[in-house]
Amino acid sequence: MAYTLTQWNLGELYPGFDSPDLQMAFDNVEEQVMSFEGIRGKLLPDLDSNQFMEFVRASEQTSRIINKIYAFTGLSFAADTQDQVAQTYMARVQQFAAEMQNRTLFFSLWWKDLDDKNAERLMNSAGDYRYYLEEIRHFKPQTLSEAEEKVINIKDVTGTGALVTLYDAITNRYVFKLDVDGETKELTRGQLIAYVQGSDADLRALAYQELYRVYATDGPILGQMYQSRARDWHNENIGLRKFSSAMSVRNLQNDIPDEAVDALLDVARKNTKIFQRYFKLKAKQLGVKTLRRYDIYAPIANSDKKFEYDAATQMVFDSFNSFDPQLAGMAKRVFDQQHVDSEVRKGKRDGAFCWSVLPDMTPYVLLNYQGRARDVATMAHELGHAIHSMLASHHSTFTYQSSLPLAETASTFGEMMLTDKLLAEEKDEAVRRDILFKQVDDAYATIMRQSYFALFEKQAHEMIQKNASVNDIAAAYMENLKEQFGDAVELSDEFQWEWVSIPHIYHTPFYVYAYAFGQLLVFSLYQQFKMEGESFKPKYLKILSAGGSEAPAKILEDAGIDIRSPKFWQGGFDVLDKLVGELEKLK
Ligand SMILES: [Zn+2]
């Protein structure tokens, strides 16, 4: 059967917003929470382990329903961001989840407060839930009283939560104007970015100038929102919770030791020369003296090769299949169950994502498929995510999803398998070269760019504590770019506003290093795969099927990887160094 561009079917979640099932789900959660509130008096240090597990499973049941409600609402909204009903439900679900969380908060507080001996006793019989329970206790020193925690939760809905929603609302309605072939086009950011990656050098410059013209106009306001976000982060996490630094909040949530993240960022800083060499090479390929910042994603060949949707799915299945047929089977299941929304539609969210709802439910994948080589790579990427979660489906709802830094493993690995397949089949030298250069472009965007975002965030959070103005922060951002690019790339002034255009630093502070983490990890895993062949496969599948059931450092340690060691991270950069070296040798 040929696959065609379609919308997904959310029927497995709920039939619709007006369905009695959905209303009943809200009621069920309320009932379950009310009954859970009744266990409060039973929480004593010598609690029987069977009873304890009953409570844990009861809270898992409630989470399952909330996950479903949240997924149905979020996926409906992504499918049509202009849908008023979906918009209203988004706010309702957030408020509902915060209220339910507050009413059941006493359980995790009791658990964190329990003495080590009894906690160990209960964890010993918790099986797959063990790591989840351990993780909650990691936050014990930073936990406040029940009353304080409740106030933070409820004030966050209309405080930080609302601030971030406003940031999205303001920036999502931006319209960008670009003169293309004598015609002024009005574009969304996603449409504008296509010109940034296009082959016309003048349009690349104009597109970037327009992008940051619009952001700079609101620069002082967006910058002020960022200052508030950073101050709130500091007030809560350092002021009240006593975390040691702004970044260590995220590190603890990722369960990655501070030293590992510091090692990663230090090593990245020492390797800026690799990409600087690459940008000089790219300048030569494009026939210019120095690469402008506008040109770093420029294609080096004019290949407009298009891929039919059905052929693309086949290529992706084939590349998974050559690694392990069970992976291809899982990828196929996502399509066969109509869990893919692939067509481009007005009002639909830009970009792509994979949403895992429950361990026993096939994940949902959103694409905006336009037939470019990039779109095929994105398809492999998102299906990699889906496979990761399907391989971990034997874990509980609390332990199947991997922590952030491991979350990009299967997706990036999937993309690399696809690239290898494309290279093996492509006869046209120009297209092959374009594929290889794109691979380094992407590596730049995920490794160096994201590492420098993280370094910037660190600096900006510190500066804001010292009352830096928005202009001070913009100047610091410019310095950050200069260090990153050296003399290899010509910067223009408008890039000082790039940081206010990065949603991640508003939404999830210090999220970005997870990208660099994931990509470098995959480089070194892929290197192992090429050297070891068949014997590597079980090791890799074991990493994926662990999901989030153990600490990332532990999962990787079992595969012989030490994330605290600068040598490990350097290994990832060495792969890149070799790749750039090979490109330099090409005629
Ligand atoms: Zn991803």
Side-chain angles (χ1 to χ4, degrees):
M1 186 192 76
Y3 293 106
T4 50
L5 289 167
T6 45
Q7 292 190 42
W8 50 36
N9 182 350
L10 299 181
E12 204 182 327
L13 292 165
Y14 298 103
F17 280 115
D18 51 5
S19 82
D21 285 10
L22 179 58
Q23 199 43 58
M24 214 140 67
F26 280 99
D27 295 345
N28 278 340
V29 170
E30 289 234 46
E31 276 162 34
Q32 290 183 9
V33 165
M34 204 189 300
S35 125
F36 197 80
E37 287 174 308
I39 72 164
R40 197 170 187 139
K42 297 182 184 158
L43 298 177
L44 299 166
D46 62 352
L47 179 66
D48 172 68
S49 62
N50 287 325
Q51 183 132 60
F52 173 69
M53 284 317 294
E54 250 174 59
F55 298 159
V56 172
R57 289 205 184 89
S59 89
E60 183 184 19
Q61 278 315 313
T62 311
S63 296
R64 285 177 63 92
I65 308 178
I66 292 180
N67 282 7
K68 276 181 70 183
I69 297 176
Y70 188 54
F72 180 73
T73 309
L75 292 168
S76 302
F77 180 69
D80 184 2
T81 59
Q82 304 307 305
D83 181 355
Q84 290 280 334
V85 181
Q87 275 176 13
T88 312
Y89 261 84
M90 285 288 279
R92 175 176 167 190
V93 172
Q94 276 165 14
Q95 169 103 26
F96 180 74
E99 280 167 12
M100 294 305 121
Q101 201 194 346
N102 271 356
R103 285 171 61 182
T104 52
L105 200 61
F106 67 89
F107 185 62
S108 64
L109 292 177
W110 169 78
W111 173 243
K112 283 184 214 177
D113 221 27
L114 185 64
D115 64 278
D116 287 346
K117 214 174 137 219
N118 275 307
E120 195 54 40
R121 173 180 63 85
L122 293 174
M123 281 194 286
N124 281 338
S125 48
D128 189 54
Y129 298 87
R130 188 191 170 97
Y131 175 63
Y132 163 72
L133 294 166
E134 241 171 42
E135 259 300 273
I136 298 177
R137 283 176 65 85
H138 280 168
F139 287 87
K140 179 177 175 171
Q142 287 84 23
T143 301
L144 307 173
S145 72
E146 184 172 356
E148 289 168 310
E149 293 288 351
K150 282 182 172 174
V151 172
I152 291 176
N153 275 344
I154 212 72
K155 297 300 278 183
D156 270 354
V157 174
T158 48
T160 294
L163 183 74
V164 171
T165 307
L166 275 176
Y167 170 83
D168 287 346
I170 291 173
T171 54
N172 280 336
R173 54 190 280 193
Y174 285 158
V175 177
F176 304 92
K177 289 187 182 142
L178 193 66
D179 286 332
V180 184
D181 301 329
E183 186 199 337
T184 305
K185 292 198 172 187
E186 297 202 339
L187 307 167
T188 63
R189 181 172 175 169
Q191 290 168 320
L192 186 74
I193 291 303
Y195 291 98
V196 157
Q197 297 160 348
S199 53
D200 184 322
D202 292 336
L203 272 182
R204 284 199 298 269
L206 288 172
Y208 266 126
Q209 285 157 7
E210 173 65 3
L211 177 66
Y212 297 125
R213 180 191 67 77
V214 172
Y215 274 93
T217 308
D218 278 348
I221 292 171
L222 300 177
Q224 199 182 352
M225 294 172 105
Y226 185 71
Q227 288 171 320
S228 300
R229 180 74 170 107
R231 278 190 192 275
D232 179 73
W233 189 260
H234 183 96
N235 291 346
E236 176 183 331
N237 293 306
I238 297 179
L240 298 173
R241 299 189 188 278
K242 313 291 180 205
F243 276 96
S244 59
S245 75
M247 193 178 317
S248 67
V249 183
R250 179 70 53 213
N251 297 349
L252 192 67
Q253 277 166 5
N254 289 341
D255 197 15
I256 298 285
D258 287 343
E259 315 101 84
V261 181
D262 292 342
L264 160 66
L265 295 177
D266 278 351
V267 172
R269 225 169 176 164
K270 287 189 181 116
N271 283 277
T272 47
K273 282 276 177 300
I274 298 177
F275 286 106
Q276 291 174 9
R277 255 168 63 212
Y278 171 71
F279 291 134
K280 285 178 181 170
L281 174 68
K282 197 159 178 178
K284 234 188 267 171
Q285 289 281 334
L286 292 172
V288 296
K289 199 166 152 281
T290 312
L291 202 70
R292 303 169 303 170
R293 171 62 185 81
Y294 307 131
D295 302 322
I296 63 176
Y297 301 119
I300 56 134
N302 232 337
S303 78
D304 290 325
K305 196 163 169 176
K306 290 276 178 195
F307 299 85
E308 289 295 331
Y309 184 65
D310 184 57
T313 58
Q314 217 47 61
M315 279 162 63
V316 172
F317 296 159
D318 286 351
S319 74
F320 285 135
N321 194 51
S322 60
F323 188 88
D324 186 335
Q326 73 163 321
L327 302 189
M330 288 172 171
K332 216 168 161 306
R333 209 161 88 207
V334 185
F335 287 89
D336 292 342
Q337 295 189 0
Q338 290 178 279
H339 281 210
V340 185
D341 192 325
S342 49
E343 65 183 8
V344 178
R345 240 183 1 255
K346 205 169 161 245
K348 178 178 158 178
R349 217 186 96 168
D350 263 340
F353 64 73
C354 170
W355 191 318
S356 297
V357 187
L358 297 171
D360 47 342
M361 187 181 283
T362 301
Y364 287 86
V365 167
L366 180 133
L367 304 170
N368 277 282
Y369 190 82
Q370 296 174 69
R372 302 164 303 173
R374 217 172 264 278
D375 297 315
V376 189
T378 303
M379 186 192 286
H381 181 104
E382 299 309 333
L383 286 167
H385 280 304
I387 288 167
H388 195 166
S389 133
M390 289 157 103
L391 279 168
S393 65
H394 54 292
H395 294 293
S396 75
T397 307
F398 294 144
T399 50
Y400 83 109
Q401 269 182 317
S402 71
S403 92
L404 273 185
L406 286 186
E408 294 298 335
T409 314
S411 54
T412 317
F413 203 91
E415 270 190 77
M416 291 187 77
M417 290 194 292
L418 181 77
T419 304
D420 268 3
K421 186 177 156 56
L422 286 176
L423 283 172
E425 288 172 5
E426 186 59 63
K427 300 279 176 287
D428 185 336
E429 261 317 304
V431 179
R432 285 176 56 86
R433 185 175 301 205
D434 193 39
I435 293 171
L436 285 168
F437 272 78
K438 274 216 178 80
Q439 203 176 12
V440 187
D441 286 352
D442 289 347
Y444 163 72
T446 34
I447 298 172
M448 205 49 89
R449 182 171 148 87
Q450 307 296 334
S451 298
Y452 268 84
F453 280 155
L455 291 167
F456 164 73
E457 282 187 277
K458 216 171 147 176
Q459 187 187 2
H461 275 251
E462 283 164 13
M463 286 175 71
I464 289 164
Q465 279 312 304
K466 293 179 186 145
N467 306 308
S469 70
V470 173
N471 283 340
D472 293 338
I473 302 169
Y477 186 73
M478 224 32 198
E479 289 307 310
N480 169 292
L481 289 179
K482 280 181 191 154
E483 178 182 321
Q484 192 183 155
F485 291 124
D487 63 352
V489 175
E490 207 175 275
L491 280 167
S492 17
D493 275 348
E494 66 269 22
F495 283 91
Q496 66 178 300
W497 292 109
E498 184 177 17
W499 59 284
V500 299
S501 78
I502 308 298
H504 272 321
I505 69 172
Y506 287 81
H507 285 244
T508 322
F510 304 102
Y511 177 99
V512 290
Y513 75 72
Y515 287 116
F517 189 110
Q519 175 86 61
L520 286 168
L521 170 66
V522 169
F523 270 144
S524 82
L525 287 174
Y526 208 74
Q527 187 77 347
Q528 282 186 34
F529 169 45
K530 292 213 154 155
M531 281 176 342
E532 297 168 16
E534 281 304 312
S535 69
F536 168 83
K537 292 180 179 176
K539 199 160 69 176
Y540 174 67
L541 293 175
K542 197 177 156 209
I543 292 177
L544 299 189
S545 53
S549 63
E550 286 202 80
K554 171 79 173 54
I555 293 172
L556 294 172
E557 203 180 284
D558 290 346
I561 291 166
D562 176 10
I563 57 171
R564 288 184 181 81
S565 147
K567 235 177 86 191
F568 165 69
W569 297 112
Q570 187 56 48
F573 280 102
D574 290 346
V575 176
L576 262 168
D577 184 52
K578 236 176 81 191
L579 200 62
V580 174
E582 277 162 24
L583 288 176
E584 284 169 333
K585 274 184 250 153
L586 286 179
K587 279 272 148 58

